[in-house]
Amino acid sequence: MTTPPTLPIARQRMILAVLLLSSVLIWLDNTILGTALETLADPVHGLGANPAELQWATGSYTLIFAALMFTAGALGDRFGHRTVLATGLALFAASSVWAAYAGDVGQLIAARAAMGVGSALIMPPTMAIVTWTFTGPARAAAIGLFSTSAGIGLAAGPLLAGLLLDHFWWGSVFLVNLPVVAVALAGIAALVPNFRSPTRRPLDPAGLALSVSGLGALAYGLIKAGQVASWTPLDVWAPIVAGMVLLIVFVLVESRSAQPSFDPRLLAERTFGGGNAALGLLFLAMTAVGFYGAFYLQGARGFSPLEAGLANAPAALGVIVGGPLGIRLVRRFTLRPVAVPALVTAALAMGSFALFGLDTPIIWNEIVVSIQGLALGIVIGTVTAALMSTLPLERAGAGSAVTNTVRQTGSVLGIAIGGTIMSIVYSRAMAGSVQDLPPAVADRMRESAELARPTAAALGRPDLAHAADDAFVHALHVGALWVMAFTLVAAAVLAITLSPSGIRSQSASSAADSLPASEQPRRKSVMTSSSAGE
């Protein structure tokens, strides 16, 4: 085995810029779709998608993203992280074109699943390449900058989506991915060495099948509960139970494997396991509150897509500021006294939507989302950097896969649980207002506020449209309280699992890792022969 040469600082920075662009692509796409949900639900200008179909349009992407993440880590260790990253970007671009020209909701869901495959091949190699390229404090700073890239994606996505939806058809929001992919691929080919682990983990088809089927069954049952507004039918609780059993079997199988693609034993380490649990809960809450927010501003408040994007821009600015700020604060105060209060602040900001109504001045939305974004930026970058610092270099791909899998699993559950809470509460709140309607019309009114408003207009019943808005706001309030509860649990997990002495130990390790190469232990690593000569 050989040790990779230390790359010039200028090249390291250019590599980081390319990797951040790949990360921006993921966040850009997620926020663009969130802005387009209201349009996709429109039966005239969109696809007339119902809430369950919108959950699957979002959930199919995150489900596949989560389930394939650990496989991407194994592929990177085997074939090289640059190769896997470039393949993921190319697939993401091709499936974006498919999504743009989908003829119905079913095609859109399938295209989004294909985009999830591409994303799963992008994220683990991205974080692994950062870990191979940087050491010590520079590595922590580089990982922290990914919060900034998230903020850029969060800021640009809604604004781009708003501009496009105001002037073009809904499919145009997916085509903005293509120029970003083109620039990223060019940078990867010119700058990024093809790092790969000396230990080639075998592929894991059994684990892949168990994870996909388990997450799929669990998500199906949760989303189905929202459709029927009940938890008791067999086709609701049976898939939920089956999904949980399959996921337990998946963990057992992986934990007994000599070379697992997803190594649950990494989660047994206190900081790594607790930090991932907290991030999983946080991403659950973030995804749920984002799902609510898309319908609150455009549907209930009547904002255009561009106006909604501008209204949420302070959240993105908060994330951009929070990432670098969090790294500086952790260097001074250690992780726990920074991340835990920030997470509690994020929880309270999310929960404050329980106080919002149809006439709430929009300035309160700006204040709340800016505080929320700042807190999230502080937490995500610092905690992720701490998690990656606990892993040996040769486990970078596996550790990145575990971290990203947990985060995306949280996103899957956020879509399923958050959307289902909203659907059930809304349906029950509307029940008293539609008793005098024919059963088919009443069912449509109770399905979603997006379907109820045009139905009420066709019936000449503005009172029903007002009832739908009121029912949605009630559902928003209930959902916001649940989201706050999940985030407070995440803060408690961080407070319990992050010990100040442990973080100091990790910080000392990082400082040692930043010593001159002659004073560091040799880092076992290997690159492809072509990259070694770069």
Side-chain angles (χ1 to χ4, degrees), residues 21-410:
L21 185 62
S22 300
S23 175
V24 166
L25 180 70
I26 304 300
W27 287 97
L28 185 72
D29 178 75
N30 284 340
T31 53
I32 279 179
L33 181 64
T35 305
L37 288 176
E38 181 73 24
T39 302
L40 289 171
D42 192 313
V44 177
H45 300 102
L47 297 175
N50 61 40
E53 290 170 334
L54 292 175
Q55 284 176 276
W56 278 115
T58 307
S60 63
Y61 170 88
T62 49
L63 190 155
I64 298 298
F65 194 172
L68 292 184
M69 193 80 70
F70 61 85
T71 301
L75 289 172
D77 290 342
R78 175 182 290 257
F79 298 110
H81 296 294
R82 180 181 67 182
T83 300
V84 175
L85 176 57
T87 302
L89 286 166
L91 179 58
F92 192 88
S95 51
S96 294
V97 175
W98 182 13
Y101 294 99
D104 53 44
V105 178
Q107 290 183 32
L108 177 62
I109 292 171
R112 290 288 297 165
M115 293 175 73
V117 176
S119 294
L121 297 178
I122 292 172
M123 286 306 296
T126 297
M127 296 307 297
I129 292 169
V130 168
T131 306
W132 287 80
T133 303
F134 298 93
T135 61
R139 181 188 298 164
I143 294 174
L145 284 175
F146 278 86
S147 290
T148 302
S149 73
I152 294 172
L154 288 170
L159 297 179
L160 280 173
L163 286 170
L164 292 169
L165 291 171
D166 279 354
H167 297 90
F168 304 100
W169 95 113
W170 61 265
S172 62
V173 300
F174 295 106
L175 298 182
V176 299
N177 296 329
L178 302 185
V180 181
V181 169
V183 174
L185 284 174
I188 289 167
L191 298 167
V192 180
N194 202 24
F195 299 117
R196 60 186 174 195
S197 172
T199 303
R200 296 190 178 186
R201 290 177 290 152
L203 300 180
D204 187 8
L208 179 62
L210 286 169
S211 63
V212 171
S213 57
L215 277 175
L218 182 59
Y220 176 85
L222 291 171
I223 294 174
K224 186 67 175 179
Q227 286 182 277
V228 299
S230 174
W231 295 99
T232 56
L234 179 65
D235 59 351
V236 170
W237 61 262
I240 293 175
V241 172
M244 295 176 66
V245 169
L246 288 169
L247 291 175
I248 291 172
V249 172
F250 165 70
V251 171
L252 293 175
V253 168
E254 295 297 302
S255 63
R256 295 176 182 177
S257 173
Q259 291 182 304
S261 294
F262 176 92
D263 193 348
R265 290 166 293 198
L266 291 174
L267 296 172
E269 195 277 326
R270 177 170 175 158
T271 299
F272 192 81
N276 271 293
L279 286 178
L281 288 168
L282 176 59
F283 272 71
L284 184 158
M286 287 169 54
T287 307
V289 78
F291 196 77
Y292 300 152
F295 297 105
Y296 171 66
L297 289 176
Q298 295 185 55
R301 298 294 298 267
F303 284 33
S304 71
L306 180 57
E307 289 171 337
L310 290 170
N312 284 322
L317 296 177
V319 173
I320 292 173
V321 173
L325 175 62
I327 294 296
R328 293 189 183 95
L329 291 174
V330 168
R331 286 175 180 170
R332 182 172 181 179
F333 300 108
T334 74
L335 181 60
R336 188 170 68 174
V338 172
V340 173
L343 202 46
V344 171
T345 302
L348 295 176
M350 294 178 185
S352 68
F353 282 100
L355 303 175
F356 279 40
L358 296 175
D359 300 318
T360 301
I362 196 62
I363 186 63
W364 288 110
N365 182 85
E366 314 301 292
I367 294 171
V368 167
V369 299
S370 62
I371 294 172
Q372 176 184 309
L374 180 66
L376 294 177
I378 290 173
V379 171
I380 295 173
T382 56
V383 174
T384 301
L387 299 187
M388 295 303 294
S389 73
T390 65
L391 301 176
L393 187 59
E394 61 271 15
R395 299 297 286 154
S400 175
V402 169
T403 297
N404 284 291
T405 297
V406 170
R407 286 160 55 155
Q408 292 305 318
T409 299

